[in-house]
Amino acid sequence: MKKKPLTGIILKYYWQKARVYKWNLFFFFLATLVAILAQEFWATMIYREIVDLMAEYADKPGLVLDKIKGLAVTIFIIYLTTSFLGWRLAEFLNDYFQPSVMRDIEKDVFEKLQNHSYSFFANTFSGGLVSKSNRFVRSFEMIADVIQWNLWGIIIRFVTAFIFIYYFLPILGLIFLGWTIFYVICSYFYAKYTADYWRVAGKSDSKVTGELADTITNIFNVKIFAAKKIEKKRYEKTISKRRLIRSAAWRTGSYMKLGQAILMIGIEMVLLFVMIDAWDQKILSIGTIFAIQTFVWLLFQNLWNLGRLFQDYANAIADAEEMMKIITDPPNLLDPVKPESCRIKSGKIEFKKVHFNYETDKKSPQVFTDFNLTIKAGEKVGLVGESGSGKSTFVNLLLRFMDTNSGNIMIDGQSISHITQDDLRRNIAYVPQESILFHRSLAENIAYGNPRATKAEIINAAKMAHAHEFIETFSQKYDTLVGERGIKLSGGQKQRVSIARAMLKNAPILVLDEATSSLDSKAEKLIQEALETLMEKRTTIVIAHRLSTLRKMDRIIVLEAGKITESGTHKELSESSGKYAELWRHQVDGVQ
């Protein structure tokens, strides 16, 4: 099935953003109309009169010299006032219009991207998204430039030139009209034909940007595996493909210019011979011929660029399509149309007959089948299991990064699908296995879960997480920038900042996903003490491969293939003959 083109949707979207500034746009078009009519047509009409006077009084120039000089001064005044002021006003109006609309588009794109689920970002190049977003904004700028500075001028020049030519020589006006219509139609359909080339070129740009961003993001792996040559070869292959695609797209422009040149040379010869014949029959004066030729050449200058303008337009539409698809596609995780008020307070968690699999195919294996679990408010629960047992899936479903296929997840008796995702996650503090920080200050990163926190509260949370000690060693202390993804900090330092952030959030539910895995034994002991304080009176879920961190849990749940196979305290399970006891003996014996 052929995909429905997005051109109409894109133009409608851009217009919805532009119409907010419709009066600015109206006065822009009015200013350019006045400027073009004054500069190119009023002035040309005066030039026509000057040429006719000079031709008629060539042997007696003194009779009309003063009049000619007066006309010349009039032209100067037109250029200095009406034309000059019109163009300057148009520029100032546009200086406000386009940046304002582009800002509104950037704001909307950012908001709509944020609405997509975590799985969307996990399956999409971040560099590609940035590239698509930037091109989407630039596409509006390009389309606006085409319409405001080019097509509008072409329309004004064509209508005025046609009226003038038709008034003096109707047959010439009709020839000019027919040729212009034919030229525009040919240019439009050829540009439409080339749109697919530019669409593919746009996708290749996203591919190159994504590859580059992926390599830079993973530069540590490139260095540690000495894979520079491998990555270079991979990148060169990608940009070589883009070169071929670009060349094919650019060649379409060369072919268009070839056709344009043939059409313009042909009509110029026809117009010239018709005007010479009309002059011979004394139908047209020399000044009128000069004026017609001026009008035609002014229009030709614009029409010559028409093919390029259509290509720019097609290129802009192609660039915008990728992001348009993203922002118009509904997120796969939606908030309820009429969400309930969030009633989460104590943090009792219930999984009721939950079914879930990652694939849409019904035959794909289930991660959870008729899964049931209740975690009491304030209970501290550890999740144990080998990779693929369902621990991460459990947390992702609880955080509603994914939705169940069937069944229900409830907190304090309220279904998490009946409240907004933001309301749900405001009540869950999450410390992941790999802490990724913003390239902002340490204070901003710690306060991310509670933007209203005071400096004293930030410092107190850092002290509780034993992050204050290393923060104080930095010259800028809490104002220290941590680098992209927190690259300036060690793994343990990033983890302590992440824990401080969770402490400051002060949510009723706490999820720790291997939260101490990046810490040395000394730091882990300090953090464990802080976490014990943090876990008091909070429902806590701890995922840990290091079972020693689970000994003080109220209950430990062992998952195998999405099923609960064991449940009990550390003492109960370690003394049994089940999976937990086996894992515990391996770790006690030093076998990891």
Side-chain angles (χ1 to χ4, degrees):
M1 183 182 292
K2 189 175 181 181
K3 292 183 179 179
K4 184 180 178 181
L6 294 174
T7 303
I9 298 174
I10 293 169
L11 294 178
K12 182 179 179 181
Y13 176 88
Y14 285 152
W15 170 240
Q16 287 174 342
K17 299 300 178 185
R19 66 190 295 182
V20 176
Y21 309 94
K22 56 182 178 292
W23 285 110
N24 184 288
L25 198 57
F26 170 78
F27 285 113
F28 170 88
F29 285 131
L30 182 62
T32 51
L33 172 65
V34 171
I36 291 173
L37 290 179
Q39 177 180 322
E40 298 183 9
F41 292 95
W42 189 10
T44 301
M45 293 297 290
I46 297 174
Y47 274 120
R48 166 180 171 268
E49 188 175 352
I50 290 174
V51 171
D52 279 341
L53 287 171
M54 295 176 86
E56 185 177 353
Y57 295 94
D59 54 343
K60 295 178 286 184
L63 296 176
V64 292
L65 186 60
D66 289 340
K67 185 176 183 179
I68 290 174
K69 288 180 179 180
L71 292 172
V73 171
T74 303
I75 292 173
F76 174 74
I77 293 172
I78 290 172
Y79 284 156
L80 190 62
T81 56
T82 312
S83 174
F84 176 80
L85 292 176
W87 285 121
R88 299 298 75 75
L89 177 60
E91 288 173 351
F92 283 119
L93 288 167
N94 189 62
D95 289 344
Y96 176 79
F97 169 71
Q98 286 195 21
S100 297
V101 178
M102 291 166 72
R103 176 206 58 197
D104 293 347
I105 292 172
E106 288 171 329
K107 180 180 176 181
D108 189 53
V109 168
F110 182 84
E111 182 179 350
K112 285 185 166 61
L113 281 176
Q114 295 291 310
N115 289 335
H116 279 284
S117 66
Y118 178 76
S119 60
F120 166 81
F121 294 98
N123 294 313
T124 309
F125 270 132
S126 57
L129 281 177
V130 173
S131 174
K132 292 171 188 175
S133 176
N134 290 336
R135 292 209 313 271
F136 188 69
V137 177
R138 288 200 305 269
S139 292
F140 167 78
E141 182 183 13
M142 187 177 294
I143 291 172
D145 281 345
V146 167
I147 295 172
Q148 291 177 249
W149 297 107
N150 297 284
L151 290 182
W152 176 237
I154 289 174
I155 292 171
I156 296 170
R157 292 179 180 96
F158 167 72
V159 171
T160 312
F162 170 72
I163 292 172
F164 180 84
I165 297 172
Y166 186 82
Y167 175 80
F168 284 101
L169 194 62
I171 185 64
L172 189 63
L174 293 175
I175 292 172
F176 178 71
L177 174 64
W179 178 88
T180 303
I181 293 173
F182 177 75
Y183 179 91
V184 171
I185 290 173
C186 289
S187 298
Y188 172 76
F189 280 103
Y190 186 78
K192 192 174 181 180
Y193 162 75
T194 65
D196 287 338
Y197 287 89
W198 290 105
R199 189 173 291 110
V200 174
K203 290 180 179 179
S204 71
D205 285 341
S206 294
K207 177 68 174 176
V208 169
T209 304
E211 290 273 5
L212 181 60
D214 190 45
T215 302
I216 293 173
T217 302
N218 290 281
I219 193 65
F220 179 79
N221 286 330
V222 176
K223 296 288 187 182
I224 202 67
F225 287 101
K228 184 173 69 173
K229 290 183 178 179
I230 295 174
E231 291 301 320
K232 181 183 177 184
K233 185 177 180 181
R234 180 187 179 91
Y235 186 68
E236 286 178 348
K237 184 178 179 181
T238 303
I239 60 176
S240 293
K241 287 182 180 179
R242 183 174 68 172
R243 183 196 68 81
L244 295 174
I245 294 169
R246 276 180 172 175
S247 295
W250 290 3
R251 277 197 300 272
T252 61
S254 299
Y255 294 144
M256 176 172 279
K257 289 178 181 178
L258 175 63
Q260 287 177 313
I262 293 172
L263 287 173
M264 286 187 174
I265 291 172
I267 190 62
E268 174 62 20
M269 292 301 297
V270 171
L271 293 177
L272 191 58
F273 276 104
V274 171
M275 286 190 293
I276 291 172
D277 185 62
W279 171 77
D280 182 51
Q281 297 179 36
K282 302 190 183 309
I283 298 173
L284 296 179
S285 67
I286 295 176
T288 303
I289 292 175
F290 166 80
I292 291 175
Q293 190 61 36
T294 300
F295 293 152
V296 169
W297 273 107
L298 286 172
L299 187 62
F300 273 8
Q301 288 176 5
N302 287 267
L303 288 178
W304 176 259
N305 294 323
L306 187 64
R308 179 185 60 78
L309 296 177
F310 281 143
Q311 281 195 332
D312 287 345
Y313 165 79
N315 193 13
I317 292 294
D319 279 350
E321 279 188 346
E322 290 183 294
M323 182 52 66
M324 195 77 249
K325 290 176 184 176
I326 292 172
I327 65 176
T328 54
D329 283 346
N332 55 9
L333 283 173
L334 295 172
D335 286 332
V337 178
K338 295 182 179 179
E340 298 175 358
S341 297
C342 183
R343 301 190 299 271
I344 298 175
K345 291 183 179 180
S346 57
K348 179 183 177 182
I349 300 170
E350 297 174 273
F351 275 60
K352 293 185 174 182
K353 296 183 178 180
V354 170
H355 290 256
F356 176 79
N357 63 338
Y358 283 98
E359 303 296 333
T360 55
D361 186 356
K362 293 181 179 179
K363 295 181 180 180
S364 62
Q366 295 276 332
V367 179
F368 289 131
T369 303
D370 199 23
F371 182 85
N372 294 278
L373 175 64
T374 298
I375 300 175
K376 293 180 292 186
E379 186 178 15
K380 295 182 283 293
V381 174
L383 291 184
V384 176
E386 296 178 344
S387 297
S389 62
K391 303 186 302 298
S392 296
T393 302
F394 178 91
V395 172
N396 287 334
L397 289 173
L398 176 63
L399 289 165
R400 208 173 167 227
F401 287 151
M402 306 175 296
D403 270 336
T404 62
N405 300 126
S406 63
N408 204 357
I409 301 174
M410 308 184 77
I411 301 178
D412 290 340
Q414 185 175 36
S415 173
I416 65 172
S417 62
H418 292 170
I419 60 177
T420 66
Q421 297 171 62
D422 285 346
D423 278 345
L424 168 67
R425 293 165 192 159
R426 285 190 190 101
N427 288 280
I428 302 175
Y430 177 62
V431 182
Q433 181 175 358
E434 181 187 359
S435 296
I436 299 175
L437 306 180
F438 290 96
H439 181 35
R440 300 170 190 173
S441 71
L442 283 161
E444 288 176 289
N445 274 286
I446 293 173
Y448 198 72
N450 183 8
R452 296 180 181 178
T454 64
K455 186 66 175 288
E457 289 171 331
I458 292 170
I459 293 174
N460 184 56
K463 287 180 177 178
M464 290 175 63
H466 296 283
H468 181 73
E469 294 87 342
F470 77 78
I471 292 175
E472 284 294 306
T473 65
F474 296 135
S475 59
Q476 295 184 346
K477 303 186 186 306
Y478 283 84
D479 293 326
T480 301
L481 297 177
V482 302
E484 187 176 6
R485 299 168 68 88
I487 196 171
K488 293 182 180 179
L489 304 181
S490 69
Q493 289 174 333
K494 285 193 292 184
Q495 200 73 335
R496 278 180 271 180
V497 170
S498 183
I499 291 169
R501 181 164 57 193
M503 289 177 168
L504 195 59
K505 188 173 183 179
N506 196 27
I509 298 172
L510 175 65
V511 178
L512 305 173
D513 187 356
E514 296 286 353
T516 60
S517 61
S518 299
L519 306 176
D520 55 48
S521 299
K522 182 180 178 181
E524 182 186 5
K525 183 179 179 181
L526 295 172
I527 291 297
Q528 286 293 352
E529 294 174 1
L531 290 177
E532 286 178 20
T533 302
L534 178 63
M535 287 187 285
E536 287 180 6
K537 297 180 181 180
R538 287 184 175 84
T539 304
T540 305
I541 298 169
V542 180
I543 297 176
H545 287 100
R546 196 182 300 176
L547 302 185
S548 59
T549 62
L550 302 177
R551 284 181 294 183
K552 294 185 180 181
M553 294 292 103
D554 297 325
R555 181 163 47 128
I556 296 172
I557 293 170
V558 180
L559 292 176
E560 293 186 69
K563 292 181 174 59
I564 299 174
T565 57
E566 297 176 64
S567 178
T569 64
H570 169 76
K571 187 175 186 301
E572 291 169 345
L573 297 182
S574 61
E575 292 176 356
S576 69
S577 57
K579 186 70 175 180
Y580 184 85
E582 178 187 342
L583 293 172
W584 175 249
R585 285 194 296 271
H586 274 294
Q587 292 194 12
V588 170
D589 293 339
V591 180
Q592 302 296 326

